[in-house]
Amino acid sequence: MDKDFLLKTYGACYDAEAGPWNLSLENKYLEYMFAKFYEENFPVPQGAKVCNIGIGAGYWDRHLSYRLNGGTLTSIDIREICCRQLEECLENEHNPNPVRVIHSDVMLLDELTGQFDIVTMVGSARMESGLHEEILAKAVSFLKPGGSLYYQSLDKDETEEWVTAFCSRNAVRTGAYLLDINYGFKAQYWKLEK
C-alpha cells in the first residue's frame, strides 16, 4: 500500500478549497440525511449484492461495506484516483468485507445488467456525467427483478414529476420519497423499485 498516495489524496479532501465545505454543518447534515434515508428504507437482505455508482471521496462506499449483511459491494468510478483511494482506505483500515472496485465508465459495463439487489447513486454522479436520464436508466438496468435503486439529488431544477415520468419510462416505481430543504438545499431522496 502506498501510504504517501493515500495521505496526499485524502488530504486533498480538506485542502483550502474543499476543506471548508467538507467540514461544514451543511455537508455533515447532508451526509447524515443520506445515511438516514438509506437505513430507514433499504433493508439489506442476507447475502445482498450492492453497487454504488460514483465513489468520489469513498465515504459512502465505506459506509455501505459495513452494512452488507453477508453480501458484496461493487463500487464504480470513472476516475482512477477515486478508485485507488478507496482501495487503499479499505486496505489501511483492514476492512474485512468483500468490495470490488471498478475503474470504468459505468455506461460501458453491460455485464453488470441484472446483477444487484441494491444500487445507489448520488445525483452529483448523474450531473457530472452529463448523461442525466441515460445514467439513471443504466443504474436501473443493474437491478435484479425486485431490486431497489437509491437515488439522491441536489439538482434544484429536478422535480418529483420528472422522476415519476422517468419511472414510468423505465419500469420502476417510487417506493419512498423525501424532500428536504434544510440548510437552503433542495435535497431529494428516492427509493425506486424494480
Side-chain angles (χ1 to χ4, degrees), residues 2-68:
D2 183 351
K3 288 187 180 179
D4 289 336
F5 165 82
L6 183 59
L7 289 171
K8 181 179 176 187
T9 56
Y10 190 78
C13 293
Y14 298 97
D15 66 12
E17 182 179 334
W21 166 250
N22 287 335
L23 296 173
S24 70
L25 286 177
E26 294 90 343
N27 183 54
K28 297 302 179 195
Y29 176 76
L30 287 172
E31 288 176 0
Y32 166 75
M33 287 301 295
F34 194 77
K36 182 178 187 286
F37 187 84
Y38 182 79
E39 299 298 330
E40 290 176 352
N41 294 286
F42 290 83
V44 180
Q46 180 69 32
K49 294 178 82 176
V50 180
C51 176
N52 180 52
I53 299 171
I55 295 170
Y59 302 120
W60 181 242
D61 302 84
R62 290 164 57 217
H63 177 90
L64 289 172
S65 75
Y66 286 104
R67 300 282 197 262
L68 288 176

Side-chain angles (χ1 to χ4, degrees), residues 6-7 31 53 55 72 80 94 120 128 135 167 183 190:
L6 183 59
L7 289 171
E31 288 176 0
I53 299 171
I55 295 170
T72 61
E80 189 275 335
H94 305 287
T120 69
E128 289 170 9
I135 197 167
C167 288
Y183 284 104
W190 281 278

Side-chain angles (χ1 to χ4, degrees), residues 1-188:
M1 172 176 37
D2 183 351
K3 288 187 180 179
D4 289 336
F5 165 82
L6 183 59
L7 289 171
K8 181 179 176 187
T9 56
Y10 190 78
C13 293
Y14 298 97
D15 66 12
E17 182 179 334
W21 166 250
N22 287 335
L23 296 173
S24 70
L25 286 177
E26 294 90 343
N27 183 54
K28 297 302 179 195
Y29 176 76
L30 287 172
E31 288 176 0
Y32 166 75
M33 287 301 295
F34 194 77
K36 182 178 187 286
F37 187 84
Y38 182 79
E39 299 298 330
E40 290 176 352
N41 294 286
F42 290 83
V44 180
Q46 180 69 32
K49 294 178 82 176
V50 180
C51 176
N52 180 52
I53 299 171
I55 295 170
Y59 302 120
W60 181 242
D61 302 84
R62 290 164 57 217
H63 177 90
L64 289 172
S65 75
Y66 286 104
R67 300 282 197 262
L68 288 176
N69 195 16
T72 61
L73 172 64
T74 299
S75 297
I76 305 165
D77 204 294
I78 197 167
R79 293 166 296 184
E80 189 275 335
I81 194 167
C82 294
C83 295
R84 185 171 173 206
Q85 180 179 341
L86 176 60
E87 289 171 330
E88 294 204 13
C89 281
L90 293 169
E91 183 179 338
N92 188 52
E93 64 191 27
H94 305 287
N95 188 312
N97 302 302
V99 180
R100 177 181 177 204
V101 179
I102 300 175
H103 169 225
S104 178
D105 180 341
V106 71
M107 299 303 291
L108 302 176
L109 297 174
D110 294 332
E111 68 273 13
L112 298 181
T113 299
Q115 297 293 312
F116 298 99
D117 300 289
I118 298 172
V119 175
T120 69
M121 185 170 67
V122 177
S124 59
R126 181 187 68 87
M127 292 170 67
E128 289 170 9
S129 75
L131 303 170
H132 300 281
E133 181 156 351
E134 298 91 336
I135 197 167
L136 198 54
K138 188 67 165 187
V140 167
S141 78
F142 285 2
L143 293 173
K144 294 177 179 178
S148 300
L149 171 66
Y150 181 14
Y151 173 60
Q152 182 251 20
S153 173
L154 296 175
D155 183 347
K156 63 182 176 13
D157 297 320
E158 189 164 69
T159 64
E160 187 178 357
E161 294 75 25
W162 182 87
V163 174
T164 300
F166 168 85
C167 288
S168 66
R169 290 190 297 275
N170 290 276
V172 291
R173 67 184 180 283
T174 301
Y177 171 73
L178 173 67
L179 169 63
D180 182 9
I181 56 171
N182 287 317
Y183 284 104
F185 294 102
K186 179 184 177 184
Q188 298 179 87

